[in-house]
Amino acid sequence: MRKTYLAAALIALISTITGIAVGIAGAQDGGDRTVTDDDVNRVARQLYCPICENVPLDVCGTRACIDARNEIRQMLEDGMSDEEIIAVFVERWGERAVATPRDPTLSFLVWALPLTAIVIAVALLVWQLYSWSERRTRPAQQAPAIQPGTDDKYRQRLEREIRERS
Amino acid sequence: MLAEIGIVTETLALLAAVYAVVAALWSVQKRERRWLHSARNAVAVSWLMITAALLALLIELINADFSLLYVYNTTDRASDLALRITALWGGQAGSLLFWSWIMGAFALAAVLSNWDTDRRFMPYVIAVTIGTLAFFLSLTVFFENPFDRFWQDPSGNVIVSALQPPNTWPLAQRDGLGMNPLLRHPGMLIHPPTLYLGYVGLVIPFAFAVAALATGDLSPRWIRATKTWALIAWLFLSLGLLLGMRWAYDVLGWGGYWGWDPVENSALLPWLTGTAFLHSVLIQEKRGMLKKWNMVLIIITYLLVVLGTFSTRSGIVSSVHSFAESPIGGPMLVFLAVSVGIALWLLFRRWDSLRSEAELDSVFSREAFFIINNMLFAGLTIATFWGTYAPIFSELLTGEKITMGPPYFESVNGPLFGVLFLLMGLAPLLAWRRTSTRHLIRALAIPTVLALALVVVIFISGTRHPVALLGFGVVGFAGFSTLAEYWKGAVARHRSRGEPYLLGLLNLFKRNRHRYGGYLIHLGIVIIAFGIIGSSIFQEETQQRLAAGESLVIDGYEMVFEGLDQGMAPDGSKYVVQARVSVYQNGQLVARLNPRRDIFINPHGAQDLTSPSVYSTVGGDFYVILVSWEEIGDEGTTFKVYLNPLVGWIWWGGVILVIGTLIAVWPDRRESRIRSRALATGLAGSSEVA
């Protein structure tokens, strides 16, 4: 009988401790987190001022950005993640709120050109190198075996002297 | 009276410039030398007139004549002499006149210094350089006149006009607005002039390229005539970029120096194509290759110069530099379109004549690597151009305005720059035409081993960031490869002539200024790259609110807030709030810093300027600012502290870059002698005088 009471008391104690722990964790997640300036800046750095274009939110002194930073602080205290907060501002200010657009069409527009240019440049380069090596295997391959800096007499002499003296 | 002198002289300068263009082209049409002489004299007259107008404006600024709108907008009575001189280029109208003065000086110098050797090119060189000058002068006279004055009519209305409207009398304001606080920085004294010198200098090689296309003389003559000009322009453009970075670091108060802002990018774009041009012309000189490419490059460079000026002054791309916005965008766009049209027409007319005289013998040759280097520069130009102007295209096509921030530029340009540094290390090790594998491996061994050793040392010292290790390795390889070239040369001189190593090294510079000056430029760039990698990847920051006596800790440093001092500056120009902070490292006091906030007061209100205070060491900067939008007081002041590792290397690398360029452009007596001899024997073009 005593054992039963002890077991029940132990279960109650464990449940209480677990409950308190879960409660504390919940409270932390739910709204009582301590948010530092660095936390706010971590998010603000990824956003851009809606008025002064190209100025990140963490270093902008306009009224709109001061308000936005206060809002970010509140959102962090409410337990929102960085991504969720950024999504809120993109929704409100449009794609200009972030360093590169998140919308798939705009994102494609932004990245497609430089990537296409790089692919074309690499393809052109490979093609050129291939055609040069093709030409080289033809009679031109017998081009005089030029040693380093042949057309630079001074350098050639230097290197010859190094060889002779070493 | 001075304003009238200014108006008359700037108008005469414009008329003389237009006359010079017409006379120069007429000399080709009529085949009469006297018209060309007349055009040359008109170039000189035009420049002298601009000089007179500029002096008139300068005196008005120094005298603080607030009857002029420009003086009213850019100075005030509290401004000292240096600030009043700086005001010459501190606003739109003055900077356009100043730009024109530099353009006129460069054009005159280019015409006079090449008059005997390249007479055949002169009509076109005058047409292009002075045509560009005439365009900018017309903007000054008709759109942004620095001599616009205040007038008052009987009803009390204030009218702004260069010439006096009927029934009005002159009106002088009591005091001016003063210069934008952001521009009140020592760097601003020389940043705009150096940038203008760079921009304008690049017009000279373009003018000679157009002359070569127009005359059909497609030999490397135009390149030889302009190589030094291109290098000087590149030097000033580099210096302008570095000074701009320093200004941003000291004034904008965000702990960085480069934000991929559209105006920064506008100056970077011609620098990229100009750098590619400086490398690719070597191939045309040595091997007669890449003639088309060099023409395309210099045309693009010129267009980027005009586009950069257009886009920043029209406000088409918004940025922190938007103070320069004005309605001159339309005319500039027309000028840009006409320039593109003429240049492309000339280029396609001569397209078939621009064939290479030689072909590549081997992929392992210096010219092959220069070609890859040029493709990378072209890639960087396209990527940067797109990043700068994509927001406009996006708005036009989709109606949605977007931002193109650092993540885009870093992820696209970063790898391209990395490969570029690899080539910078490889190319000097290769010979022209062909390099044997054995030679290449031997040449690669020492720089590669040293670069790997560097990476190991950095790794052991605690750095684990893979991109940083890769970056330091590649940049280190470029640096060691360059140093190896110096070492090889000095050793060879020591062995062959018995010269001490240091003397041998100095003689290398004397013997071949272009090459060894160029290597010094490479070393400067390598050191800058170390600074950029360190400060961008390992930057740390914290923002905390402290009461007097409290402290914050960041990566081994402790900063104690001692208190605040505040009050009016002695000259009454601003109210200053200055914090006293002490910085400790490992318990030792290392610096006492004074971040401050200046509040400038003018008739239209107050403007803030937050000035950081910095403790610099070779290892990096401890950079602290007052967060200006938060309350400031002894009971609580918000500080933002940045640790910027290696950032000082950027400025020191810049100094080395400047020294290297000066060595490379320094006149070579031997070359001058050869040139004079060629001229005397009629081989340098005097026979082609019109």
Side-chain angles (χ1 to χ4, degrees), chain B residues 297-312:
Chain B
L297 262 185
I298 198 63
I299 289 170
I300 289 175
T301 303
Y302 175 79
L303 296 178
L304 287 173
V305 164
V306 180
L307 180 69
T309 315
F310 157 69
S311 55
T312 54

Side-chain angles (χ1 to χ4, degrees), chain B residues 270-593:
Chain B
W271 185 88
L272 289 170
T273 52
T275 311
F277 177 75
L278 286 174
H279 287 90
S280 66
V281 291
L282 289 175
I283 305 179
Q284 185 170 343
E285 260 193 312
K286 296 269 184 191
R287 306 290 321 273
M289 298 164 71
L290 297 188
K291 290 181 178 177
K292 289 174 186 166
W293 178 245
N294 285 330
M295 284 290 176
V296 169
L297 262 185
I298 198 63
I299 289 170
I300 289 175
T301 303
Y302 175 79
L303 296 178
L304 287 173
V305 164
V306 180
L307 180 69
T309 315
F310 157 69
S311 55
T312 54
R313 290 177 184 281
S314 65
I316 190 167
V317 280
S318 299
S319 77
V320 293
H321 297 72
S322 54
F323 57 82
E325 289 180 18
S326 92
I328 61 173
M332 291 197 90
L333 193 59
V334 172
F335 180 73
L336 189 67
V338 171
S339 303
V340 172
I342 293 173
L344 289 182
W345 175 70
L346 281 170
L347 181 63
F348 288 125
R349 218 173 117 229
R350 301 285 183 193
W351 191 254
D352 291 335
S353 313
L354 286 165
R355 284 208 190 90
S356 287
E357 292 162 20
E359 284 187 346
L360 275 180
D361 294 316
S362 166
V363 174
F364 292 106
S365 60
R366 194 176 288 187
E367 53 268 45
F369 275 61
F370 272 22
I371 290 168
I372 303 172
N373 147 307
N374 263 244
M375 295 199 78
L376 286 165
F377 272 115
L380 283 164
T381 306
I382 292 170
T384 307
F385 180 89
W386 181 240
T388 308
Y389 294 98
I392 302 168
F393 292 114
S394 163
E395 200 171 6
L396 282 173
L397 296 174
T398 67
E400 176 97 50
K401 186 122 187 169
I402 58 171
T403 300
M404 294 293 272
Y408 163 81
F409 293 99
E410 284 160 6
S411 50
V412 178
N413 288 358
L416 292 175
F417 271 118
V419 183
L420 208 50
F421 273 97
L422 202 60
L423 290 180
M424 189 196 274
L426 282 169
L429 306 178
L430 297 166
W432 293 102
R433 300 192 73 175
R434 176 178 290 188
T435 305
S436 66
T437 317
R438 197 171 58 89
H439 169 81
L440 184 61
I441 291 170
R442 208 175 53 185
L444 275 173
I446 292 175
T448 308
V449 168
L450 288 173
L452 287 173
L454 177 72
V455 172
V456 170
V457 168
I458 294 171
F459 184 84
I460 291 170
S461 69
T463 303
R464 296 289 184 273
H465 198 292
V467 176
L469 288 171
L470 186 67
F472 283 133
V474 169
V475 172
F477 169 72
F480 289 127
S481 150
T482 311
L483 289 172
E485 285 295 297
Y486 284 122
W487 174 248
K488 271 193 276 184
V491 167
R493 288 195 75 93
H494 174 71
R495 286 182 177 166
S496 63
R497 295 162 190 251
E499 290 174 352
Y501 291 110
L502 194 62
L503 182 67
L505 190 65
L506 290 175
N507 282 332
L508 285 177
F509 283 104
K510 274 191 195 165
R511 184 80 188 152
N512 195 335
R513 290 200 178 104
H514 277 294
R515 172 184 291 169
Y516 291 101
Y519 287 160
L520 205 53
I521 297 172
H522 279 193
L523 276 183
I525 302 264
V526 162
I527 291 169
I528 290 172
F530 273 117
I532 290 173
I533 294 171
S535 57
S536 54
I537 295 182
F538 299 109
Q539 186 186 54
E540 290 179 59
E541 65 170 84
T542 186
Q543 181 178 312
Q544 292 182 34
R545 189 166 178 81
L546 304 176
E550 287 184 335
S551 65
L552 62 79
V553 175
I554 177 169
D555 196 22
Y557 286 99
E558 184 188 10
M559 189 191 86
V560 180
F561 174 33
E562 310 284 5
L564 282 175
D565 300 314
Q566 45 191 314
M568 285 301 290
D571 62 3
S573 63
K574 60 191 177 189
Y575 187 79
V576 180
V577 183
Q578 183 171 275
R580 281 175 279 115
V581 300
S582 300
V583 182
Y584 297 85
Q585 193 177 20
N586 302 322
Q588 297 287 314
L589 177 71
V590 290
R592 292 188 193 281
L593 301 178

